[in-house]
Amino acid sequence: MPQKYLIRRDTPSWSVQVWLSFGLAVTACTIGIWHMPSQELDRAFLAVGFCFCLFASFTLAKMIRDNRDERIDTGAWVITVWAGFAMAVSLTAWGLFRMAIGDWEKAYMIVAWFFLLNTVFGVAKLVRDKQEADLLEGIADAEPRSPANDSTAK
């Protein structure tokens, strides 16, 4: 009897919501950096910091999901990923708080930044769930092999 799999897929409305949220977060951060009343070097620092946080978050999300069922990464890699994420967040926060801008500008950038970090994990989960469902669907659609049909059987 063939194995039966329960394949769960995200709804199209959820996918749209996740991608729109991520796009809105990136847009909010970009607009905030572009219009921030500060020196160009401060804006450049913040842009680099936000990108650092963005990519460190994707790496962290992937590492956590890869090790969900059993640990496959080395301890050194796990520490490196967590340290990279902590450094990205800490250095970006330090740079943002030392900038000579008004409190409301800082508050806007903090909210946009946290929104960006939050949506990264949603996008990472959405993409990974789709990939896993596609793999399961491929397994479920495969014909069961019998010795008569299997060319590798001897």
Side-chain angles (χ1 to χ4, degrees):
M1 172 180 249
Q3 178 81 23
K4 291 190 178 193
Y5 295 94
L6 175 61
I7 301 171
R8 295 185 181 181
R9 291 208 175 262
D10 292 322
T11 63
S13 59
W14 174 251
S15 298
V16 168
Q17 178 183 339
V18 168
W19 284 109
L20 281 176
S21 295
F22 180 69
L24 184 61
V26 170
T27 302
C29 288
T30 302
I31 289 171
I33 291 169
W34 190 266
H35 294 289
M36 190 169 53
S38 186
Q39 297 179 8
E40 287 181 15
L41 188 58
D42 286 340
R43 287 195 300 271
F45 171 85
L46 199 54
V48 169
F50 279 14
C51 285
F52 186 19
C53 287
L54 177 73
F55 300 126
S57 297
F58 273 122
T59 304
L60 179 61
K62 181 183 182 329
M63 187 272 301
I64 289 171
R65 185 73 178 257
D66 286 349
N67 293 281
R68 173 188 62 190
D69 297 326
E70 65 179 294
R71 186 156 170 192
I72 61 169
D73 289 324
T74 64
W77 176 247
V78 172
I79 290 170
T80 300
V81 170
W82 277 107
F85 178 75
M87 286 176 54
V89 170
S90 300
L91 291 172
T92 303
W94 169 78
L96 184 58
F97 284 114
R98 66 155 268 301
M99 287 183 184
I101 57 176
D103 288 341
W104 76 268
E105 288 98 345
K106 283 183 185 179
Y108 174 88
M109 293 311 302
I110 290 169
V111 168
W113 177 39
F114 285 159
F115 185 33
L116 178 67
L117 294 180
N118 184 349
T119 61
V120 163
F121 290 95
V123 167
K125 181 181 182 326
L126 181 79
V127 169
R128 190 64 170 269
D129 286 349
K130 182 185 179 322
Q131 187 254 352
E132 287 179 354
D134 289 346
L135 285 174
L136 279 175
E137 207 167 71
I139 292 169
D141 289 344
E143 287 185 7
R145 293 186 176 189
S146 66
N149 294 359
D150 192 354
S151 63
T152 60
K154 297 193 179 194

